[in-house]
Amino acid sequence: MENRETLKNQAIEKRESGNLQEALELFKSVEQLDISDGNVRGQLDILGHIRITYSRLAEEETDLHKRKEYRKMAMNVVDEAITVGEQNADISQGALVIQKVHLASSLLDYSKELANHEKQVVLETALKNVEEAVRDLPGSKAHKSWPCNTEAQILLELGQYDKAFKTAQQGETWLFEGYDEEVRADDQAEMKLNVWLSGLHLTMGRICAAQNKKFLARQYAVSVLAIEDHKNTLHARKHDAQKLLDSLK
């Protein structure tokens, strides 16, 4: 089990530092261990990480066909995870709730390839799933900041700017309120808190930019760039923050 956790942690660090293909191979290795050991809960967890990796690969892909393929792979992984979870009576409701976050994120990504009416329908489905996930998500309050950021991004795409910003602010509040519990519970707490906080600030910056509040947008982008990151696990976040900053010039 220790070997599994070591591989998983290595994969997460590689993904967050931008080494996406290496991360994907490591995650798939962990999934095979889980399948061999009959560790269904672990498999669901790893499928979620694989989904995130495919979504990141799509974000970085400039070729339209390949980008669509990565987004389709992400959706397929979520479908697989939900099917596996529903077929195993021992899987907790909390584990399935986490898959709702992944489904909402995948739908958000998928919507970016769609025309207006179809996009609206997909985003509303994504919003419904993530609202349920925020309500029912297991773990610390700080953990809720993860789906909270997804919810804010969906609201941004729907043009509900005030609600999107307040949702992201709620995520920051939960980071504060759940900080102690998260730090006690997880040896990767610092990395997770960095990822969640930087994600919220990046979303807040994008909301401000969409409303032409350029000064505030710059400050949120700069705040992401300024986060201490000794292990380079915020590579993707800082890259996106720099892109946002450059777009405001």
Side-chain angles (χ1 to χ4, degrees):
M1 186 60 69
E2 182 179 350
N3 183 48
R4 177 201 183 277
E5 289 306 305
T6 300
L7 282 175
K8 173 188 167 181
N9 290 344
Q10 288 174 354
I12 291 171
E13 289 183 3
K14 284 189 177 295
R15 183 189 67 211
E16 297 305 323
S17 62
N19 298 313
L20 299 176
Q21 290 292 352
E22 290 180 56
L24 186 60
E25 292 307 312
L26 280 173
F27 282 131
K28 287 183 176 180
S29 296
V30 177
E31 184 193 8
Q32 288 307 307
L33 287 175
D34 288 334
I35 292 171
S36 297
D37 294 340
N39 181 10
V40 178
R41 186 179 180 85
Q43 185 186 358
L44 290 187
D45 173 49
I46 290 302
L47 285 170
H49 285 292
I50 292 173
R51 193 286 302 169
I52 293 170
T53 309
Y54 277 133
S55 293
R56 294 277 182 84
L57 283 163
E59 288 171 11
E60 294 194 359
E61 184 56 64
T62 55
D63 182 271
L64 178 61
H65 177 72
K66 289 181 180 178
R67 187 167 69 243
K68 286 183 176 180
E69 282 301 306
Y70 280 134
R71 285 180 171 154
K72 186 183 296 183
M73 289 177 189
M75 290 287 292
N76 289 342
V77 168
V78 177
D79 288 342
E80 179 186 354
I82 291 172
T83 300
V84 169
E86 289 178 344
Q87 289 175 348
N88 286 268
D90 293 338
I91 293 301
S92 69
Q93 189 61 31
L96 291 174
V97 168
I98 288 171
Q99 296 309 316
K100 286 188 175 184
V101 187
H102 290 297
L103 177 59
S105 294
S106 296
L107 289 169
L108 171 62
D109 290 339
Y110 176 64
S111 74
K112 295 172 183 176
E113 310 291 347
L114 302 176
N116 289 341
H117 175 68
E118 193 176 359
K119 179 176 182 177
Q120 179 86 10
V121 171
V122 170
L123 286 172
E124 287 174 358
T125 302
L127 184 61
K128 180 177 182 293
N129 276 275
V130 80
E131 286 174 341
E132 292 172 357
V134 169
R135 183 190 65 213
D136 300 330
L137 194 77
S140 71
K141 277 192 175 181
H143 192 202
K144 286 182 179 288
S145 66
W146 167 50
C148 205
N149 186 35
T150 301
E151 182 179 353
Q153 291 177 55
I154 295 168
L155 290 166
L156 168 60
E157 288 296 314
L158 287 167
Q160 298 181 35
Y161 303 114
D162 288 350
K163 190 173 180 181
F165 193 81
K166 288 173 183 175
T167 299
Q169 284 183 313
Q170 178 63 66
E172 279 196 294
T173 299
W174 278 330
L175 275 180
F176 176 79
E177 292 177 350
Y179 177 91
D180 292 339
E181 183 182 354
E182 189 66 37
V183 168
R184 284 195 304 269
D186 198 319
D187 63 356
Q188 284 195 308
E190 182 179 337
M191 184 194 72
K192 288 184 176 181
L193 291 168
N194 271 348
V195 169
W196 294 337
L197 178 63
S198 60
L200 287 166
H201 277 203
L202 191 55
T203 298
M204 292 163 93
R206 287 169 173 162
I207 295 166
C208 290
Q211 288 287 276
N212 202 33
K213 302 180 190 298
K214 292 186 177 181
F215 173 77
L216 287 176
R218 278 195 294 271
Q219 301 316 308
Y220 283 115
V222 168
S223 78
V224 174
L225 294 171
I227 294 175
E228 289 185 4
D229 183 30
H230 304 301
K231 292 185 178 180
N232 192 36
T233 54
L234 293 181
H235 171 83
R237 295 277 197 241
K238 294 199 174 193
H239 175 73
D240 289 344
Q242 188 61 55
K243 281 176 61 178
L244 175 58
L245 199 59
D246 293 342
S247 74
L248 297 168
K249 292 178 179 177

